[in-house]
Amino acid sequence: MRAALYQGAGVVVVDDVPDASIAEPTDAVVQVLRSCICGSDLWSYRGIVNRAAGGRQGHEFLGVVTDVGAEVTSVRPGDLVIAPFTWSDNTCPACVEGLQSKCDNGGTFGAPGADGGQGEAVRVPQADGTLVAVPGGVDGVDDARLTALLALTDVMATGLHGAVLAGVTEGSTVAVIGDGAVGLCAVLGAKQVLGAERVILMSRHADRTALGRTFGATDVVAERGAEGIAAVRELTGGRGVPFVVEAVGTPESWEMALGMARAGGHVGAVGIPHQMPELPLFPIVRSHLTVGAGIAPVRRYLPDLIDRVTSGRLDPSPVFDLTLPLERVAEGYAAMDERRSIKTMLAG
Amino acid sequence: MRAALYQGAGVVVVDDVPDASIAEPTDAVVQVLRSCICGSDLWSYRGIVNRAAGGRQGHEFLGVVTDVGAEVTSVRPGDLVIAPFTWSDNTCPACVEGLQSKCDNGGTFGAPGADGGQGEAVRVPQADGTLVAVPGGVDGVDDARLTALLALTDVMATGLHGAVLAGVTEGSTVAVIGDGAVGLCAVLGAKQVLGAERVILMSRHADRTALGRTFGATDVVAERGAEGIAAVRELTGGRGVPFVVEAVGTPESWEMALGMARAGGHVGAVGIPHQMPELPLFPIVRSHLTVGAGIAPVRRYLPDLIDRVTSGRLDPSPVFDLTLPLERVAEGYAAMDERRSIKTMLAG
């Protein structure tokens, strides 16, 4: 089969690899219908993170089950399934508490030794705990909804998780820092899933701002740093926002997050950079803030999000603004690296 | 009247000062019955924090109202009252949300221009919002309960606030980092106010450990650093604790707090050092932690805590292990500086 391989900074190629196959009785094999490129895939592409040549690429995909191991009971060949970007048994203590991205038997697609999403097929470990079947299967969803479902594998669930970590409540005011795919999905999650009334998006790119408004942003602030904080405070009667989603992860974005939160406010952080910053304790103490952070446990949100997408209540598909066939994956990396694409989908 | 004055590093004297008197119609004057020395009073005493000579000392006191301004309605002369270490109007948006230590019209006793608790009397700004009268007055409480009530002005409420920030629930397991008066009161708060079942106190001082056990600590861990984390993990089946109260505030104690919290755990921080550290984001993300911090809004807890003390259900009085008359305050500073006293009370 064909799959994308990392061959060094700036070099992602598609090459022949052994066919995905069952290795453990808890595995399934999924034929990939759609996959995509993540901002974190760019870390090694940009040479910021060291990675051995020859590894598989990608952790976001959906497709059709073609084979299952002897112990798999929840999905069967022919099912349209969605995989979170991490696999999990969904039965360990962490999973039971809804932290499937911290599973005792978990792992990440595209990590050393694992298949990647950017390929024709994927071996899925812990299939029963990981995969969620889409009711109605392939015949039940049209092209646009299939794209929307692909967004659930990471960015939509991650954006929502940021809003959940922040504790966003119905009718509340939320600020979202970051206008990448995750930040935009945080707008969607805060507004359409959690019912926030007012969503302030920090964004200075016209195309992303426009998409943010489509997703439910009621205000857009282009300023950054102290000016950005001042602008958000002005929008909130001087007090700041009760809920902030931090979807960037740099010291500068954290400074904004901690500075624009009002007294007693909450920051939910899903901006996970390759190198994590230190957080100053002072503004947290000064403003009585609560800060929560973590890699999104996508699996926890999938059943509800699938239902929202298939019933037409949620559509994150516009985060994909470039579609390429797998064989042209290199063009996708270049487009995202050069910020010509918010998020690139691979289909066909 | 007599009051303690800061005259330089290592030098706190008692001298004559103008009598406390009403300056604003919202003021009250309280004749101090008991006051005490706080760990934070040692910052300037040790020369770690610069402070102008001549300033009043102390922010913890209780006493009897001797005079009230024209607009004061909730307390009257003769009332036995407790003051939080910060005054507050109790009506601004922050106060209404229970963050009285962030009051728009608030301040701290002993700060420049304000009276300090370590004196014969105190002018209390925002008396209606600040002071809480003890039902039954002076005649209704015996000597031991008066001491217990004094602890509510800061350490008891601050320790409890740490446990509240951590989100401690009934029947849960909590670790408390710090065996000073605040840490010990966090044990008491977690166990006796919030109903935690298991409280692990990090302590290596025999006298403090013994007091911690009296207050409800079920386990004591003397190790620090990685060994302390390992010991707590061993006590919790390898997973770590769901709730941690951080009552020290150094980089080392934070490393322990973030390291011993289990996946999805919560850290409540009331350890406020003179110089606040930076927190590494990595362990927070890795373990899906939530971190909350802030200066305790003592006023919010006072009515409930007063009721618990006067009804005999709560007794933090043992944190005071040395009592001196005001005129000998310098001995108290020396005793706390040299760690011969956990907390020194001034009476008489």
Short mmCIF file of all heavy atoms in Angstrom, two decimals, chain A residues 194-233:
data_model
loop_
_atom_site.label_atom_id
_atom_site.label_comp_id
_atom_site.label_asym_id
_atom_site.label_seq_id
_atom_site.Cartn_x
_atom_site.Cartn_y
_atom_site.Cartn_z
N LEU A 194 -21.44 24.35 23.57
CA LEU A 194 -21.59 24.71 24.98
C LEU A 194 -22.52 25.91 25.20
O LEU A 194 -22.87 26.22 26.33
CB LEU A 194 -20.21 24.99 25.60
CG LEU A 194 -19.23 23.82 25.54
CD1 LEU A 194 -17.88 24.22 26.13
CD2 LEU A 194 -19.78 22.60 26.27
N GLY A 195 -22.92 26.58 24.11
CA GLY A 195 -23.92 27.63 24.25
C GLY A 195 -23.44 28.98 24.74
O GLY A 195 -24.23 29.76 25.29
N ALA A 196 -22.16 29.28 24.55
CA ALA A 196 -21.68 30.62 24.92
C ALA A 196 -22.44 31.67 24.11
O ALA A 196 -22.83 31.43 22.97
CB ALA A 196 -20.18 30.74 24.66
N GLU A 197 -22.64 32.83 24.72
CA GLU A 197 -23.38 33.88 24.02
C GLU A 197 -22.44 34.75 23.20
O GLU A 197 -22.72 35.10 22.06
CB GLU A 197 -24.14 34.74 25.03
CG GLU A 197 -25.07 35.74 24.37
CD GLU A 197 -25.88 36.51 25.39
OE1 GLU A 197 -26.38 35.88 26.35
OE2 GLU A 197 -25.99 37.74 25.26
N ARG A 198 -21.31 35.05 23.81
CA ARG A 198 -20.40 35.98 23.18
C ARG A 198 -19.03 35.31 23.06
O ARG A 198 -18.51 34.82 24.05
CB ARG A 198 -20.29 37.23 24.06
CG ARG A 198 -19.62 38.37 23.40
CD ARG A 198 -19.77 39.62 24.23
NE ARG A 198 -19.19 40.75 23.56
CZ ARG A 198 -18.94 41.92 24.14
NH1 ARG A 198 -19.26 42.08 25.41
NH2 ARG A 198 -18.40 42.90 23.47
N VAL A 199 -18.50 35.29 21.85
CA VAL A 199 -17.19 34.68 21.64
C VAL A 199 -16.27 35.69 20.96
O VAL A 199 -16.56 36.16 19.84
CB VAL A 199 -17.28 33.40 20.79
CG1 VAL A 199 -15.89 32.79 20.61
CG2 VAL A 199 -18.23 32.39 21.43
N ILE A 200 -15.21 36.04 21.66
CA ILE A 200 -14.24 37.01 21.14
C ILE A 200 -13.06 36.23 20.56
O ILE A 200 -12.37 35.51 21.29
CB ILE A 200 -13.75 37.94 22.27
CG1 ILE A 200 -14.93 38.65 22.92
CG2 ILE A 200 -12.71 38.93 21.73
CD1 ILE A 200 -14.57 39.37 24.22
N LEU A 201 -12.84 36.36 19.27
CA LEU A 201 -11.75 35.64 18.62
C LEU A 201 -10.58 36.59 18.40
O LEU A 201 -10.74 37.67 17.83
CB LEU A 201 -12.22 35.06 17.28
CG LEU A 201 -11.13 34.39 16.41
CD1 LEU A 201 -10.53 33.16 17.11
CD2 LEU A 201 -11.70 34.00 15.05
N MET A 202 -9.41 36.19 18.87
CA MET A 202 -8.20 36.96 18.64
C MET A 202 -7.65 36.52 17.28
O MET A 202 -7.15 35.38 17.15
CB MET A 202 -7.16 36.71 19.73
CG MET A 202 -7.68 36.83 21.16
SD MET A 202 -8.37 38.46 21.58
CE MET A 202 -6.85 39.43 21.70
N SER A 203 -7.72 37.38 16.27
CA SER A 203 -7.31 36.98 14.92
C SER A 203 -6.95 38.19 14.09
O SER A 203 -7.61 39.22 14.17
CB SER A 203 -8.45 36.21 14.24
OG SER A 203 -8.14 35.95 12.89
N ARG A 204 -5.91 38.05 13.31
CA ARG A 204 -5.53 39.15 12.44
C ARG A 204 -5.43 38.74 10.97
O ARG A 204 -4.90 39.48 10.15
CB ARG A 204 -4.21 39.77 12.89
CG ARG A 204 -3.07 38.79 13.11
CD ARG A 204 -1.77 39.53 13.31
NE ARG A 204 -1.84 40.50 14.38
CZ ARG A 204 -0.88 41.36 14.69
NH1 ARG A 204 0.26 41.35 13.98
NH2 ARG A 204 -0.99 42.21 15.66
N HIS A 205 -5.91 37.53 10.66
CA HIS A 205 -5.90 37.08 9.26
C HIS A 205 -7.32 37.12 8.72
O HIS A 205 -8.22 36.47 9.28
CB HIS A 205 -5.34 35.65 9.18
CG HIS A 205 -3.96 35.53 9.75
ND1 HIS A 205 -3.74 35.12 11.05
CD2 HIS A 205 -2.75 35.77 9.20
CE1 HIS A 205 -2.43 35.11 11.27
NE2 HIS A 205 -1.81 35.50 10.18
N ALA A 206 -7.51 37.86 7.63
CA ALA A 206 -8.86 38.11 7.13
C ALA A 206 -9.64 36.83 6.86
O ALA A 206 -10.82 36.73 7.23
CB ALA A 206 -8.79 38.97 5.86
N ASP A 207 -8.99 35.83 6.24
CA ASP A 207 -9.73 34.61 5.90
C ASP A 207 -10.15 33.85 7.16
O ASP A 207 -11.26 33.33 7.25
CB ASP A 207 -8.89 33.70 4.98
CG ASP A 207 -7.51 33.40 5.56
OD1 ASP A 207 -7.04 34.17 6.44
OD2 ASP A 207 -6.90 32.39 5.16
N ARG A 208 -9.27 33.83 8.15
CA ARG A 208 -9.58 33.11 9.38
C ARG A 208 -10.62 33.87 10.20
O ARG A 208 -11.50 33.29 10.82
CB ARG A 208 -8.30 32.90 10.18
CG ARG A 208 -7.33 31.99 9.41
CD ARG A 208 -5.95 31.90 10.04
NE ARG A 208 -5.06 31.17 9.15
CZ ARG A 208 -4.27 30.16 9.53
NH1 ARG A 208 -4.24 29.78 10.79
NH2 ARG A 208 -3.52 29.53 8.66
N THR A 209 -10.51 35.19 10.19
CA THR A 209 -11.50 36.02 10.87
C THR A 209 -12.89 35.76 10.30
O THR A 209 -13.87 35.59 11.04
CB THR A 209 -11.14 37.51 10.70
OG1 THR A 209 -9.90 37.75 11.36
CG2 THR A 209 -12.21 38.39 11.27
N ALA A 210 -12.96 35.71 8.97
CA ALA A 210 -14.26 35.49 8.31
C ALA A 210 -14.82 34.13 8.70
O ALA A 210 -16.01 34.00 9.02
CB ALA A 210 -14.08 35.60 6.79
N LEU A 211 -13.96 33.13 8.72
CA LEU A 211 -14.42 31.79 9.09
C LEU A 211 -14.84 31.76 10.56
O LEU A 211 -15.85 31.15 10.92
CB LEU A 211 -13.30 30.77 8.83
CG LEU A 211 -13.66 29.30 8.98
CD1 LEU A 211 -14.96 28.95 8.26
CD2 LEU A 211 -12.51 28.42 8.46
N GLY A 212 -14.07 32.47 11.39
CA GLY A 212 -14.41 32.54 12.81
C GLY A 212 -15.80 33.14 13.02
O GLY A 212 -16.57 32.66 13.85
N ARG A 213 -16.11 34.16 12.24
CA ARG A 213 -17.45 34.76 12.38
C ARG A 213 -18.53 33.77 11.94
O ARG A 213 -19.59 33.67 12.55
CB ARG A 213 -17.54 36.05 11.57
CG ARG A 213 -16.73 37.20 12.19
CD ARG A 213 -17.18 38.54 11.62
NE ARG A 213 -16.37 39.65 12.13
CZ ARG A 213 -16.62 40.31 13.26
NH1 ARG A 213 -17.65 39.98 14.01
NH2 ARG A 213 -15.83 41.31 13.63
N THR A 214 -18.24 33.03 10.87
CA THR A 214 -19.18 32.00 10.43
C THR A 214 -19.40 30.97 11.54
O THR A 214 -20.51 30.48 11.74
CB THR A 214 -18.61 31.26 9.19
OG1 THR A 214 -18.26 32.23 8.21
CG2 THR A 214 -19.62 30.28 8.62
N PHE A 215 -18.34 30.67 12.26
CA PHE A 215 -18.43 29.66 13.32
C PHE A 215 -19.08 30.21 14.59
O PHE A 215 -19.33 29.45 15.52
CB PHE A 215 -17.03 29.14 13.66
CG PHE A 215 -16.52 28.07 12.72
CD1 PHE A 215 -17.29 27.63 11.65
CD2 PHE A 215 -15.27 27.49 12.91
CE1 PHE A 215 -16.83 26.64 10.78
CE2 PHE A 215 -14.80 26.49 12.07
CZ PHE A 215 -15.58 26.07 10.99
N GLY A 216 -19.29 31.52 14.65
CA GLY A 216 -20.00 32.05 15.81
C GLY A 216 -19.29 33.12 16.61
O GLY A 216 -19.81 33.57 17.63
N ALA A 217 -18.11 33.55 16.14
CA ALA A 217 -17.43 34.63 16.85
C ALA A 217 -18.28 35.89 16.74
O ALA A 217 -18.70 36.28 15.66
CB ALA A 217 -16.04 34.87 16.28
N THR A 218 -18.52 36.54 17.88
CA THR A 218 -19.33 37.76 17.88
C THR A 218 -18.45 39.00 17.81
O THR A 218 -18.90 40.07 17.44
CB THR A 218 -20.19 37.83 19.16
OG1 THR A 218 -19.34 37.60 20.30
CG2 THR A 218 -21.28 36.79 19.13
N ASP A 219 -17.19 38.85 18.22
CA ASP A 219 -16.24 39.96 18.20
C ASP A 219 -14.89 39.42 17.73
O ASP A 219 -14.55 38.26 18.00
CB ASP A 219 -16.05 40.55 19.60
CG ASP A 219 -17.36 41.00 20.22
OD1 ASP A 219 -18.07 40.16 20.81
OD2 ASP A 219 -17.68 42.19 20.11
N VAL A 220 -14.15 40.26 17.04
CA VAL A 220 -12.81 39.87 16.62
C VAL A 220 -11.84 40.95 17.07
O VAL A 220 -12.10 42.14 16.89
CB VAL A 220 -12.72 39.69 15.09
CG1 VAL A 220 -11.27 39.45 14.66
CG2 VAL A 220 -13.61 38.53 14.64
N VAL A 221 -10.75 40.54 17.70
CA VAL A 221 -9.72 41.48 18.13
C VAL A 221 -8.43 41.15 17.39
O VAL A 221 -7.91 40.03 17.50
CB VAL A 221 -9.50 41.39 19.66
CG1 VAL A 221 -8.27 42.18 20.08
CG2 VAL A 221 -10.74 41.91 20.39
N ALA A 222 -7.93 42.12 16.64
CA ALA A 222 -6.72 41.88 15.85
C ALA A 222 -5.45 42.20 16.64
O ALA A 222 -4.38 41.67 16.34
CB ALA A 222 -6.76 42.71 14.57
N GLU A 223 -5.57 43.03 17.65
CA GLU A 223 -4.39 43.43 18.41
C GLU A 223 -3.81 42.26 19.19
O GLU A 223 -4.51 41.32 19.56
CB GLU A 223 -4.74 44.57 19.39
CG GLU A 223 -5.05 45.89 18.72
CD GLU A 223 -6.50 46.02 18.28
OE1 GLU A 223 -7.26 45.03 18.39
OE2 GLU A 223 -6.89 47.11 17.82
N ARG A 224 -2.54 42.36 19.47
CA ARG A 224 -1.88 41.34 20.30
C ARG A 224 -1.26 41.99 21.52
O ARG A 224 -1.26 43.20 21.68
CB ARG A 224 -0.80 40.64 19.48
CG ARG A 224 -1.37 39.79 18.36
CD ARG A 224 -0.28 39.01 17.67
NE ARG A 224 -0.81 38.28 16.52
CZ ARG A 224 -0.07 37.58 15.67
NH1 ARG A 224 1.24 37.53 15.84
NH2 ARG A 224 -0.62 36.95 14.66
N GLY A 225 -0.72 41.16 22.39
CA GLY A 225 0.00 41.65 23.57
C GLY A 225 -0.87 42.53 24.44
O GLY A 225 -2.07 42.30 24.58
N ALA A 226 -0.25 43.56 25.03
CA ALA A 226 -0.96 44.44 25.95
C ALA A 226 -2.14 45.12 25.25
O ALA A 226 -3.19 45.35 25.87
CB ALA A 226 0.00 45.50 26.51
N GLU A 227 -1.98 45.42 23.96
CA GLU A 227 -3.08 46.05 23.21
C GLU A 227 -4.25 45.09 23.06
O GLU A 227 -5.41 45.48 23.10
CB GLU A 227 -2.59 46.52 21.84
CG GLU A 227 -1.65 47.72 21.93
CD GLU A 227 -1.12 48.12 20.56
OE1 GLU A 227 -1.54 47.52 19.56
OE2 GLU A 227 -0.27 49.03 20.52
N GLY A 228 -3.92 43.82 22.84
CA GLY A 228 -4.98 42.81 22.72
C GLY A 228 -5.74 42.66 24.03
O GLY A 228 -6.97 42.59 24.06
N ILE A 229 -4.98 42.64 25.13
CA ILE A 229 -5.61 42.54 26.46
C ILE A 229 -6.52 43.74 26.69
O ILE A 229 -7.67 43.60 27.12
CB ILE A 229 -4.53 42.46 27.56
CG1 ILE A 229 -3.76 41.14 27.44
CG2 ILE A 229 -5.16 42.61 28.94
CD1 ILE A 229 -2.52 41.07 28.34
N ALA A 230 -6.00 44.92 26.37
CA ALA A 230 -6.79 46.15 26.58
C ALA A 230 -8.06 46.13 25.75
O ALA A 230 -9.13 46.54 26.22
CB ALA A 230 -5.93 47.38 26.25
N ALA A 231 -7.95 45.64 24.52
CA ALA A 231 -9.12 45.60 23.64
C ALA A 231 -10.19 44.65 24.20
O ALA A 231 -11.39 44.96 24.19
CB ALA A 231 -8.71 45.17 22.23
N VAL A 232 -9.76 43.50 24.71
CA VAL A 232 -10.72 42.54 25.27
C VAL A 232 -11.34 43.11 26.54
O VAL A 232 -12.54 42.99 26.78
CB VAL A 232 -10.04 41.19 25.55
CG1 VAL A 232 -10.97 40.27 26.35
CG2 VAL A 232 -9.63 40.51 24.24
N ARG A 233 -10.52 43.79 27.33
CA ARG A 233 -11.06 44.39 28.56
C ARG A 233 -12.08 45.47 28.22
O ARG A 233 -13.12 45.61 28.88
CB ARG A 233 -9.94 44.97 29.43
CG ARG A 233 -9.09 43.87 30.04
CD ARG A 233 -8.30 44.30 31.27
NE ARG A 233 -7.79 43.09 31.90
CZ ARG A 233 -8.37 42.48 32.93
NH1 ARG A 233 -9.45 42.97 33.47
NH2 ARG A 233 -7.86 41.37 33.44
#
